[in-house]
Amino acid sequence: MGAHDVVQAGPDTVDRIRVLVGPPPDGADVVLDFVGADPTVTTARQVVATGGQVLLVGLAGGTLPVRPVADEPPTVPLETTVEVPFWGTRAELQEVIALARTGHLQADVQTFPLPDAPEAYDLLRRGEIHGRAVVVP
C-alpha cells in the first residue's frame, strides 16, 4: 500500500522500530495510532522523536501518562505534541475523496455479509484482515 517499512506488532516491536528510526532522542517524527489501546499508545510514546507528534486516532480507551519529573526520564519525549483528532475538516475530506478518485489513494477492504460478522471478528483477532473489514447488512 506504499509504506516504506512495515513492522509486525509483537514483543520486540519497539526495538524493531528503533532500528528504523534511531535511538532517542531520534525517533519517528509522526506516530499515527489507529488503535488507541494501552499497548499501542505505549509503543507510540516509546518510538516518537523528541519534538515529534503523536496522533491518537483509535478510540480503544488507552491512556497516555504525561509526567515531566526532574530526576526521571519523561514519559513522553520533550516537546512532543499529542493530538486526538476525530475527523478532519470538510475541505480535507474533499481532498481525500479527490485523491481516491484519481487513483492516488486506495483502500484495502474485505466485505462480509451480516451473517458472517462473527467470522470477520475471528479473522481480525487472528490478524488475518489486511486493511479494513466491513460488514454489510
Side-chain angles (χ1 to χ4, degrees), residues 100-125:
R101 284 186 177 147
T102 61
H104 287 89
L105 179 67
Q106 298 175 10
D108 188 1
V109 178
Q110 287 181 257
T111 59
F112 298 84
L114 187 56
D116 293 345
E119 176 191 349
Y121 278 108
D122 287 340
L123 291 169
L124 281 167
R125 282 186 199 98

Side-chain angles (χ1 to χ4, degrees), residues 52-106:
Q53 185 177 21
V54 175
L55 289 101
L56 301 174
V57 181
L59 302 174
T63 58
L64 179 62
V66 177
R67 186 180 58 244
V69 179
D71 297 338
E72 299 175 23
T75 55
V76 176
L78 298 174
E79 300 179 8
T80 297
T81 302
V82 178
E83 295 183 41
V84 184
F86 186 67
W87 184 244
T89 65
R90 184 179 188 99
E92 290 169 332
L93 175 60
Q94 291 171 334
E95 290 174 16
V96 169
I97 292 170
L99 285 170
R101 284 186 177 147
T102 61
H104 287 89
L105 179 67
Q106 298 175 10

